[in-house]
Amino acid sequence: MAKALVVYATITGNNEDVADIITDALEDLGVEVDEVEMTMADPADFEEADICVICPYTYDEGALPEEGIDFYEDLQEEQLAGKVYGVAGSGDTFYGDDFCVAVDKFGDALAKTGATKGAENVKINLAPDEEDIQKLDAFAKQLVEKAAKLND
């Protein structure tokens, strides 16, 4: 059975909702999932998973979550070749060009670890709605399919 680790950071609860939706979708696909708030996680925890998911929020005008800065920096020291990753998070389109930039920054950091991108980044405006849930379900399915191909 594939294992996944879903790490999230949240202020409003929106990203916890995103993480919950992804966790549920992965479990429905037969994946064993641990979901952890970012301050309680360490990037080295990804070494025990086949699928690595991060759900960050973007603070203010494009900043990473303050509680996620150490995690972000430590992540770049990890070697996660053979793992599949995906990044999804909510933000606020009010911030224009800074909308969900933490999603892209964490995606770039995961790419540097040697992990394989399993799905395109998902960016959600505020709280996930029904359409977003469908996107996140598809995101989870793509991660599982990519992990299965990688382990063939």
Short mmCIF file of all heavy atoms in Angstrom, two decimals, residues 60-91:
data_model
loop_
_atom_site.label_atom_id
_atom_site.label_comp_id
_atom_site.label_asym_id
_atom_site.label_seq_id
_atom_site.Cartn_x
_atom_site.Cartn_y
_atom_site.Cartn_z
N ASP A 60 -0.03 37.74 3.08
CA ASP A 60 0.10 39.12 2.66
C ASP A 60 0.44 39.22 1.17
O ASP A 60 -0.26 38.67 0.34
CB ASP A 60 1.13 39.83 3.54
CG ASP A 60 1.02 41.34 3.48
OD1 ASP A 60 -0.07 41.85 3.21
OD2 ASP A 60 2.05 42.01 3.73
N GLU A 61 1.54 39.86 0.85
CA GLU A 61 1.88 40.11 -0.56
C GLU A 61 2.94 39.14 -1.04
O GLU A 61 4.05 39.53 -1.43
CB GLU A 61 2.31 41.56 -0.74
CG GLU A 61 1.17 42.53 -0.44
CD GLU A 61 1.58 43.98 -0.53
OE1 GLU A 61 2.79 44.28 -0.70
OE2 GLU A 61 0.69 44.83 -0.42
N GLY A 62 2.62 37.85 -1.01
CA GLY A 62 3.50 36.84 -1.58
C GLY A 62 4.45 36.17 -0.62
O GLY A 62 5.35 35.44 -1.05
N ALA A 63 4.28 36.37 0.68
CA ALA A 63 5.18 35.77 1.65
C ALA A 63 4.77 34.33 1.97
O ALA A 63 3.60 33.97 1.93
CB ALA A 63 5.19 36.60 2.94
N LEU A 64 5.78 33.54 2.32
CA LEU A 64 5.52 32.18 2.80
C LEU A 64 4.89 32.26 4.18
O LEU A 64 5.08 33.24 4.90
CB LEU A 64 6.83 31.39 2.90
CG LEU A 64 7.55 31.07 1.59
CD1 LEU A 64 8.88 30.40 1.88
CD2 LEU A 64 6.69 30.21 0.70
N PRO A 65 4.16 31.22 4.58
CA PRO A 65 3.62 31.20 5.94
C PRO A 65 4.78 31.30 6.94
O PRO A 65 5.77 30.57 6.81
CB PRO A 65 2.95 29.84 6.05
CG PRO A 65 2.88 29.28 4.68
CD PRO A 65 3.86 30.01 3.83
N GLU A 66 4.66 32.19 7.89
CA GLU A 66 5.75 32.38 8.85
C GLU A 66 6.13 31.07 9.54
O GLU A 66 7.30 30.76 9.72
CB GLU A 66 5.38 33.43 9.90
CG GLU A 66 6.54 33.69 10.83
CD GLU A 66 6.59 35.11 11.33
OE1 GLU A 66 6.18 36.03 10.59
OE2 GLU A 66 7.04 35.28 12.45
N GLU A 67 5.11 30.28 9.92
CA GLU A 67 5.40 29.02 10.60
C GLU A 67 5.97 27.97 9.65
O GLU A 67 6.39 26.91 10.08
CB GLU A 67 4.15 28.47 11.30
CG GLU A 67 3.06 27.99 10.37
CD GLU A 67 2.09 29.08 9.92
OE1 GLU A 67 2.47 30.26 9.90
OE2 GLU A 67 0.96 28.74 9.57
N GLY A 68 6.02 28.28 8.35
CA GLY A 68 6.54 27.35 7.38
C GLY A 68 7.91 27.70 6.81
O GLY A 68 8.44 26.98 5.98
N ILE A 69 8.50 28.79 7.27
CA ILE A 69 9.78 29.23 6.69
C ILE A 69 10.89 28.22 6.97
O ILE A 69 11.63 27.85 6.06
CB ILE A 69 10.15 30.65 7.18
CG1 ILE A 69 9.16 31.65 6.56
CG2 ILE A 69 11.59 31.00 6.81
CD1 ILE A 69 9.29 33.06 7.08
N ASP A 70 11.00 27.75 8.23
CA ASP A 70 12.03 26.75 8.54
C ASP A 70 11.79 25.46 7.76
O ASP A 70 12.73 24.85 7.24
CB ASP A 70 12.05 26.42 10.04
CG ASP A 70 12.63 27.56 10.87
OD1 ASP A 70 13.32 28.43 10.30
OD2 ASP A 70 12.39 27.57 12.10
N PHE A 71 10.52 25.05 7.67
CA PHE A 71 10.18 23.85 6.91
C PHE A 71 10.61 24.01 5.45
O PHE A 71 11.22 23.11 4.87
CB PHE A 71 8.66 23.60 7.00
CG PHE A 71 8.22 22.30 6.40
CD1 PHE A 71 8.11 21.17 7.18
CD2 PHE A 71 7.87 22.21 5.06
CE1 PHE A 71 7.70 19.95 6.64
CE2 PHE A 71 7.46 21.01 4.50
CZ PHE A 71 7.37 19.88 5.30
N TYR A 72 10.32 25.17 4.88
CA TYR A 72 10.68 25.47 3.48
C TYR A 72 12.20 25.40 3.29
O TYR A 72 12.68 24.79 2.33
CB TYR A 72 10.14 26.85 3.10
CG TYR A 72 10.54 27.33 1.74
CD1 TYR A 72 9.89 26.88 0.60
CD2 TYR A 72 11.57 28.25 1.59
CE1 TYR A 72 10.25 27.33 -0.66
CE2 TYR A 72 11.94 28.71 0.33
CZ TYR A 72 11.27 28.25 -0.79
OH TYR A 72 11.65 28.71 -2.03
N GLU A 73 12.93 26.04 4.20
CA GLU A 73 14.40 26.04 4.07
C GLU A 73 14.98 24.64 4.24
O GLU A 73 15.85 24.21 3.49
CB GLU A 73 15.00 27.02 5.07
CG GLU A 73 14.70 28.46 4.70
CD GLU A 73 15.10 29.47 5.76
OE1 GLU A 73 15.52 29.07 6.88
OE2 GLU A 73 14.97 30.68 5.47
N ASP A 74 14.47 23.89 5.23
CA ASP A 74 14.96 22.53 5.47
C ASP A 74 14.59 21.59 4.32
O ASP A 74 15.35 20.67 3.99
CB ASP A 74 14.40 21.97 6.78
CG ASP A 74 14.94 22.69 8.01
OD1 ASP A 74 15.94 23.44 7.88
OD2 ASP A 74 14.36 22.51 9.10
N LEU A 75 13.44 21.84 3.71
CA LEU A 75 12.99 21.01 2.59
C LEU A 75 14.02 21.00 1.47
O LEU A 75 14.25 19.97 0.83
CB LEU A 75 11.65 21.53 2.07
CG LEU A 75 11.03 20.81 0.88
CD1 LEU A 75 10.73 19.36 1.21
CD2 LEU A 75 9.75 21.53 0.45
N GLN A 76 14.65 22.12 1.26
CA GLN A 76 15.60 22.24 0.14
C GLN A 76 16.88 21.44 0.37
O GLN A 76 17.67 21.26 -0.55
CB GLN A 76 15.90 23.71 -0.12
CG GLN A 76 14.61 24.41 -0.57
CD GLN A 76 14.79 25.86 -0.90
OE1 GLN A 76 15.54 26.19 -1.80
NE2 GLN A 76 14.10 26.71 -0.18
N GLU A 77 17.07 20.93 1.59
CA GLU A 77 18.22 20.08 1.91
C GLU A 77 17.92 18.60 1.73
O GLU A 77 18.82 17.77 1.80
CB GLU A 77 18.67 20.33 3.36
CG GLU A 77 18.95 21.78 3.70
CD GLU A 77 20.08 22.36 2.86
OE1 GLU A 77 21.10 21.67 2.67
OE2 GLU A 77 19.92 23.51 2.39
N GLU A 78 16.65 18.27 1.53
CA GLU A 78 16.24 16.87 1.42
C GLU A 78 16.55 16.29 0.04
O GLU A 78 16.59 17.01 -0.95
CB GLU A 78 14.73 16.73 1.68
CG GLU A 78 14.33 16.94 3.11
CD GLU A 78 14.93 15.90 4.05
OE1 GLU A 78 14.91 14.70 3.72
OE2 GLU A 78 15.42 16.31 5.11
N GLN A 79 16.74 14.98 0.01
CA GLN A 79 16.88 14.22 -1.23
C GLN A 79 15.69 13.27 -1.29
O GLN A 79 15.64 12.32 -0.51
CB GLN A 79 18.20 13.46 -1.27
CG GLN A 79 19.43 14.35 -1.30
CD GLN A 79 19.45 15.23 -2.53
OE1 GLN A 79 19.26 14.76 -3.66
NE2 GLN A 79 19.68 16.52 -2.34
N LEU A 80 14.74 13.54 -2.19
CA LEU A 80 13.51 12.76 -2.23
C LEU A 80 13.30 12.07 -3.57
O LEU A 80 12.17 11.87 -4.01
CB LEU A 80 12.31 13.66 -1.88
CG LEU A 80 12.35 14.30 -0.49
CD1 LEU A 80 11.20 15.28 -0.31
CD2 LEU A 80 12.33 13.23 0.60
N ALA A 81 14.40 11.69 -4.22
CA ALA A 81 14.28 10.95 -5.47
C ALA A 81 13.47 9.69 -5.22
O ALA A 81 13.59 9.06 -4.16
CB ALA A 81 15.67 10.60 -6.02
N GLY A 82 12.61 9.35 -6.16
CA GLY A 82 11.77 8.17 -6.02
C GLY A 82 10.43 8.48 -5.37
O GLY A 82 9.57 7.60 -5.27
N LYS A 83 10.25 9.72 -4.92
CA LYS A 83 8.98 10.14 -4.32
C LYS A 83 8.19 10.95 -5.34
O LYS A 83 8.75 11.54 -6.25
CB LYS A 83 9.22 11.03 -3.08
CG LYS A 83 10.22 10.50 -2.09
CD LYS A 83 9.71 9.30 -1.36
CE LYS A 83 10.75 8.84 -0.33
NZ LYS A 83 10.39 7.57 0.26
N VAL A 84 6.89 10.99 -5.16
CA VAL A 84 6.00 11.81 -6.00
C VAL A 84 5.49 12.95 -5.13
O VAL A 84 5.18 12.75 -3.96
CB VAL A 84 4.83 10.95 -6.53
CG1 VAL A 84 3.79 11.82 -7.20
CG2 VAL A 84 5.35 9.89 -7.49
N TYR A 85 5.42 14.15 -5.72
CA TYR A 85 4.93 15.28 -4.93
C TYR A 85 3.83 16.06 -5.65
O TYR A 85 3.69 16.00 -6.87
CB TYR A 85 6.07 16.24 -4.57
CG TYR A 85 6.55 17.11 -5.70
CD1 TYR A 85 5.93 18.35 -5.97
CD2 TYR A 85 7.61 16.74 -6.50
CE1 TYR A 85 6.37 19.15 -7.01
CE2 TYR A 85 8.06 17.54 -7.53
CZ TYR A 85 7.44 18.75 -7.78
OH TYR A 85 7.87 19.54 -8.82
N GLY A 86 3.09 16.78 -4.83
CA GLY A 86 2.08 17.69 -5.33
C GLY A 86 1.89 18.81 -4.32
O GLY A 86 2.12 18.63 -3.13
N VAL A 87 1.49 19.98 -4.83
CA VAL A 87 1.26 21.14 -3.97
C VAL A 87 -0.09 21.75 -4.32
O VAL A 87 -0.39 21.97 -5.50
CB VAL A 87 2.38 22.20 -4.13
CG1 VAL A 87 2.18 23.34 -3.13
CG2 VAL A 87 3.76 21.58 -3.96
N ALA A 88 -0.87 22.00 -3.29
CA ALA A 88 -2.18 22.64 -3.47
C ALA A 88 -2.42 23.56 -2.29
O ALA A 88 -2.02 23.24 -1.17
CB ALA A 88 -3.29 21.60 -3.54
N GLY A 89 -3.01 24.71 -2.55
CA GLY A 89 -3.28 25.61 -1.44
C GLY A 89 -4.30 26.66 -1.81
O GLY A 89 -4.58 26.90 -2.99
N SER A 90 -4.83 27.28 -0.78
CA SER A 90 -5.80 28.35 -1.02
C SER A 90 -5.12 29.69 -0.79
O SER A 90 -4.11 29.81 -0.11
CB SER A 90 -7.02 28.19 -0.12
OG SER A 90 -6.72 28.61 1.19
N GLY A 91 -5.72 30.69 -1.40
CA GLY A 91 -5.25 32.06 -1.26
C GLY A 91 -6.41 32.99 -1.54
O GLY A 91 -7.57 32.58 -1.51
#
